[in-house]
Amino acid sequence: MAQLSTHADGLVLTIEQAAERAAERVAAVAGIETVALAAADGRVLAQDVVAPLDLPPFANSAVDGYAVRFADLAASGETRLPVSGRVPAGTDAAGVTTAGMAVRVFTGAPMPPDADTVFMQEDVKLEAGTVRLPAGLKRGANARAAGEDLPRGQTALAAGRCLRPQDLALLAALGVTEVAVRRRVRVAIFSTGDELSEPGVSLSPAGIYDANRSLLRALVVRAGAEIVDLGILRDEPESLAERLREAAADCDLILTSGGVSAGEEDHVKAAVERAGELAFWRVAIKPGRPVAMGLVAGTPFIGLPGNPVAVFVTFAFLARTVIALLAGTKPAPLLGLPVRLGFPYSKKVGRREYVRVSLVPGPDGVAVARKHPRDGAGALISLTESDGLVELADELTVVAEGTIAPFLAYEMLTG
Ligand code: AMP
Ligand code: MG
């Protein structure tokens, strides 16, 4: 990991150091509630779920075919057995025997108690009440044993798991109807800047519409949290400090955008110092360097930059992690997939840079990343017209076209 470096006016942290320092100041929310399975997608399990039954619950056939006892098969060559009995899915096979016989079974049907092997119907020949079974099948073929996926008593899903659709299916398969989850994290959001107007009102000559709150509202919801939207705050340190204090009393995290640079009109840092304490405010990441973290009356605070692309990137790499920790989980590690750069690039050493790119198929199967022509931190169009970010490591400076680099799809960053 790169060493801490110092900037003219403060410590600059790597993303990992920033995330670590943030994590030290964050604890999972304590509240637990019980929700029905139908409402549990994206929620964080508060307790382990132990399998109350075997999966599958009973030995069953994996195919449509003929169940036999392996011991009844000829040691070499084909076997011919009379067909007796029929077990469709959902019927009890308790009284069915296969001794010296083949029993017609269907996918999901219970295995006759003495059968251990199933021939697929496509592989056999039926002849006048008998079936010709080819050689070569292994004992236990096409049969699923009780508990082979998950035995009763084993942990199916561990506390801290952020539930996905497939987890809900597993819980349903176990007969579970409701789960204990952490309460949702409440995130206060506000924008700062005298230039900002709410979409829908007419713009003043030097005004722009507030884009960041729309971005953050959606990102926060996708991160599984609840929003407390506090609107636009003016560039005025005293009222900013007051609003931060109010938000802290009511929320688990305060997210702001704008006003965290070193400019004399950047008042958010000063307001946090007034209302609480600042842990850091510079991270070696581009876009996004001015990103502040601290505590306001014990409540975590993250001051994102003002430029919307920088908001997106710093949310993805810092705020998401903090929301996950508050929610009692950890976000999945962001493992970029290798792509080939379709452009040369030069960057500063000691800074992680994220380049907005679109992917096109490459001649050798490795996708080629094309850089968006607009790369300013304010150019929202570059986010809407690209597929994801290429990550260029801190130590890189000159990056040649054709270099393999990790790619993070926006879906990974906003999940
Ligand atoms: P700041 O860090 O406050 O100096 O803001 C940096 C840049 O981001 C400036 O061009 C701001 O106008 C712009 N900006 C700040 N907040 C927002 C916002 N909520 N929506 C769109 N642009 C913003
Ligand atoms: Mg500003």
Side-chain angles (χ1 to χ4, degrees), residues 156-290:
L157 297 167
R161 172 107 177 173
C162 181
L163 294 171
R164 303 184 290 175
Q166 54 267 50
D167 300 329
L168 304 182
L170 179 63
L171 292 168
L174 290 169
V176 171
T177 57
E178 54 184 33
V179 281
V181 296
R182 298 255 183 190
R183 75 162 169 82
R184 282 192 196 277
V185 172
R186 283 165 63 79
V187 180
I189 299 172
F190 50 78
S191 296
T192 70
D194 288 344
E195 74 278 31
L196 300 178
S197 292
E198 210 58 82
V201 306
S202 60
L203 271 184
S204 57
I208 59 169
Y209 288 122
D210 179 358
N212 290 345
R213 249 163 65 246
S214 290
L215 176 60
L216 287 175
R217 277 192 298 252
L219 288 172
V220 167
V221 167
R222 285 188 179 213
E226 253 169 38
I227 299 157
V228 179
D229 188 347
L230 298 178
I232 299 168
L233 301 191
R234 297 299 148 203
D235 286 320
E236 203 281 299
E238 244 158 76
S239 63
L240 276 172
E242 188 47 39
R243 298 301 295 276
L244 285 172
R245 272 193 219 100
E246 285 166 19
D250 186 38
C251 293
D252 305 304
L253 172 67
I254 305 169
L255 269 186
T256 67
S257 68
V260 285
S261 292
E264 56 202 65
E265 287 299 330
D266 292 317
H267 298 301
V268 173
K269 264 187 10 246
V272 172
E273 275 168 336
R274 204 179 275 235
E277 54 162 299
L278 210 53
F280 59 82
W281 65 284
R282 285 188 177 276
V283 180
I285 176 174
K286 186 188 176 185
R289 183 174 62 176

Side-chain angles (χ1 to χ4, degrees), residues 319-363:
R320 237 175 111 254
T321 309
V322 168
I323 292 174
L325 293 172
L326 285 165
T329 186
K330 270 196 292 197
L334 293 174
L335 253 193
L337 299 176
V339 298
R340 197 178 300 286
L341 300 188
F343 55 92
Y345 196 82
S346 55
K347 64 179 277 296
K348 258 196 188 169
V349 72
R351 176 164 85 184
R352 195 138 342 144
E353 297 200 12
Y354 291 97
V355 186
R356 285 144 271 171
V357 300
S358 296
L359 296 186
V360 293

Side-chain angles (χ1 to χ4, degrees), residues 45-50 155-160:
L45 271 186
Q47 294 158 3
D48 291 355
V49 177
V50 171
T155 300
L157 297 167

